[in-house]
Structure formats: C-alpha cells, structure tokens
Amino acid sequence: MLSGQLEKKGFFIATLITFWYSSNIGVLLLNKLLLSNYGFRFPIFLTMCHMTACAVLSYVSIVFLKIAPFQRIKSRSQFLRISTLSVVFCGSVVGGNISLRYLPVSFNQAVGATTPFFTALFAYLMTRKQEAWATYGCLVPVVTGVVIASGGEPSFHLYGFIMCIGATAARAFKSVLQGVLLSSEGEKLNSMNLLLYMSPIAVVVLLPAALVMEPNVIDVTATLATEHRYLGLLIVVNSAMAYGANLLNFLVTKHTSALTLQVLGNAKGAVAVVISILIFQNPVTFIGIAGYTMTVMGVVAYGESKRRHK
C-alpha cells in the first residue's frame, strides 16, 4: 500500500517536473521564434501579453480553482512595495525579450546563468549580507565563463548582450528586493499571489510603454497575422505558457524543495541550450561551449557552497 502511494507520488512529481521543463523551455523558444523568425519585433507588447495572461489565469487559479490560498493586500505601503517589484520585474522580462531579438537562445542562457553573481552583489549592497569567501570564490568561474563564451560566440551582438546582462541583473535585483520589501511575516505573499497582484500592475505600466515605443504594433501584428495564419495562436499559447511556467514553478517547489528547484533550474538551462541549437541551427564554437560549461559548473559550486555554509 505504502509503496503504491510512493510510486504515485513519484510519478506525480516527475510529471510536474516534465511539464515545468516543457513550459519554461517552450516560452523561451517561442519568444525567440516570434521575435526573430516572424518579423514580430515587439518585445514590450509581447511581455504585456504575457502579463495579461498571468493576471487573468492567476485570478482563475486562486479564486476559483483554489490552487493556492488567496492572500489580501493589507496596507497601502504593501501595495507600493508590490508595485515597485512589478516595475523591476517588467524591466527584467522586457530586457530578456529584447535580447532574444539579437542573440541566440544558447548565448542568452549562458548570460542568464550569471544571476547568482548579481544576486550576491545586490544582497551585499542592499542588506550587507555576506557569504563565505569560498562561496564568493565560486562566482569567479561564473563570470569568467561568460567572458569566454562571449569571445567565442559567432552571433555576438553588443546591444543584445547589454540588454541580456541588464535583464539578468534586474531579475537578481527583484529577488533581493522582494526579500527586503516583503520581509515581515504579515506582508509575505506566496509566489502565486505575488504574481496575481504584480501582473495587472505590469500591464498598466507596459501598455503606455508599448503604445509610445512600439506605436505601429497593432497594424503590423494584424498584417503579420494575415501572412502567418498561426501567429495569433502562437502569441496566445506563448502567453498561456508564460503563466504555466510560473504556476509549475510554484507547484514543483511546493511538492519538492527550493534546493531541488535550484538543481533542476541549472539542468534546465543546459537542456534549453541543446534544444535551441537543434531547432534554430545557430553556429556554436568549442570556446563558447567551454565558457558556458564553466559558468554552469560555477553556478552549481556556488549553490553547494551556500548550502554548506548556512
């Protein structure tokens, strides 16, 4: 009886992880496909579509499906903190999407793997939180690997690289800022409720930005939709998958642990790199692969060092 329950639980967790991998990598690949292959050059509008889907589906999941308990905002100051997080989050997603216009997914993932470096930097600057010197030492190959990968990247684009670095830094800044702004027990929100409140705020921020910076987005999208019959469907599926990635991130953490998610996340980047190279056939070099491998090894060592020195 017990072994049967364990088997069912193991199958359930394996299924969750499979869907989590599929949604995360699927969003990344579809973003690249839309922004580079279809002439749909509107990363701000695409991010707004993602946030709109997250707002609607978060409400349905929490209020109607009860996937997570509903948590109310308790004060104006808490709302302002969440709004600040939402703006930073917008910056990270838009920057990441812009970078995909110019960089291959493989290099995008290599740069994105430096998130622990920026997290450690912002944690020290904002909270004076220090790690062991051995832990900081593990960040050396993280940064060195990206420098090496940049030198060996045939499709290197400076603007795309700057946007990717900015997006990675903003993502790290958001995680540290979240810990600072929502640190009290009364103001902590689980990730699904935080997404529920952040998403509509993000839409309000992104809508005028899209209209000003991408003024012809509606006309061009309508024209492209007539040329590519599945473009509208791809945008809808892509937006739904963006929410699914967040939902599955929450469920995998709930049913396993944050450490498991971290390990799976490191592996996910490598899987995304391999799949993207197979699909988009972007050229890679031995130096680029060696640099990315060094970065991933540094990230793994950093995570292990943090765990040991807690």
Side-chain angles (χ1 to χ4, degrees), residues 41-265:
R41 306 185 185 282
F42 305 108
I44 298 175
F45 180 76
L46 182 62
T47 305
M48 192 190 76
C49 292
H50 289 179
M51 293 299 99
T52 301
C54 286
V56 173
L57 295 175
S58 291
Y59 185 81
V60 172
S61 297
I62 293 175
V63 175
F64 293 104
L65 301 181
K66 310 292 185 184
I67 288 177
F70 178 65
Q71 296 173 293
R72 295 184 181 277
I73 293 179
K74 297 180 179 179
S75 66
R76 182 179 177 182
S77 63
Q78 186 184 16
F79 173 76
L80 291 174
R81 293 185 182 112
I82 293 171
S83 299
T84 303
L85 288 174
S86 182
V87 172
V88 175
F89 180 62
C90 283
S92 69
V93 179
V94 170
N97 285 340
I98 291 174
S99 74
L100 284 172
R101 278 188 57 187
Y102 303 98
L103 300 176
V105 173
S106 53
F107 188 56
N108 176 279
Q109 288 295 286
V111 177
T114 61
T115 301
F117 168 78
F118 290 104
T119 303
L121 176 64
F122 288 128
Y124 176 74
L125 292 175
M126 295 169 65
T127 67
R128 296 299 173 183
K129 179 183 177 183
Q130 290 183 306
E131 305 287 353
W133 281 108
T135 303
Y136 285 129
C138 295
L139 292 173
V140 174
V142 171
V143 177
T144 305
V146 169
V147 173
I148 293 172
S150 300
E153 175 53 52
S155 306
F156 182 83
H157 190 284
L158 181 59
Y159 178 67
F161 176 72
I162 291 171
M163 294 308 297
C164 197
I165 284 286
T168 303
R171 188 161 54 246
F173 181 60
K174 183 254 178 186
S175 67
V176 176
L177 192 64
Q178 182 176 329
V180 172
L181 296 182
L182 302 177
S183 57
S184 66
E185 287 299 322
E187 293 189 343
K188 281 185 179 178
L189 298 173
N190 64 47
S191 60
M192 296 313 298
N193 277 271
L194 187 59
L195 185 66
L196 171 67
Y197 292 118
M198 283 173 53
S199 300
I201 296 170
V203 173
V204 171
V205 172
L206 291 168
L207 179 58
L211 293 175
V212 171
M213 300 177 71
E214 301 170 343
N216 58 342
V217 59
I218 302 300
D219 292 337
V220 174
T221 302
T223 303
L224 289 173
T226 59
E227 297 173 6
H228 308 285
R229 57 187 298 187
Y230 296 114
L231 179 67
L233 179 62
L234 282 176
I235 293 174
V236 172
V237 171
N238 181 235
S239 300
M241 287 179 71
Y243 170 72
N246 283 283
L247 173 62
L248 289 162
N249 187 81
F250 169 76
L251 292 175
V252 170
T253 306
K254 178 181 177 181
H255 291 282
T256 56
S257 66
L259 178 61
T260 301
L261 191 74
Q262 181 183 0
V263 173
L264 291 171

Side-chain angles (χ1 to χ4, degrees), residues 116 138 142 262-263 266-267 294-306:
C138 295
V142 171
Q262 181 183 0
V263 173
N266 293 335
M294 180 183 292
T295 295
V296 172
M297 291 176 65
V299 171
V300 172
Y302 174 78
E304 180 63 20
S305 181
K306 278 195 70 173

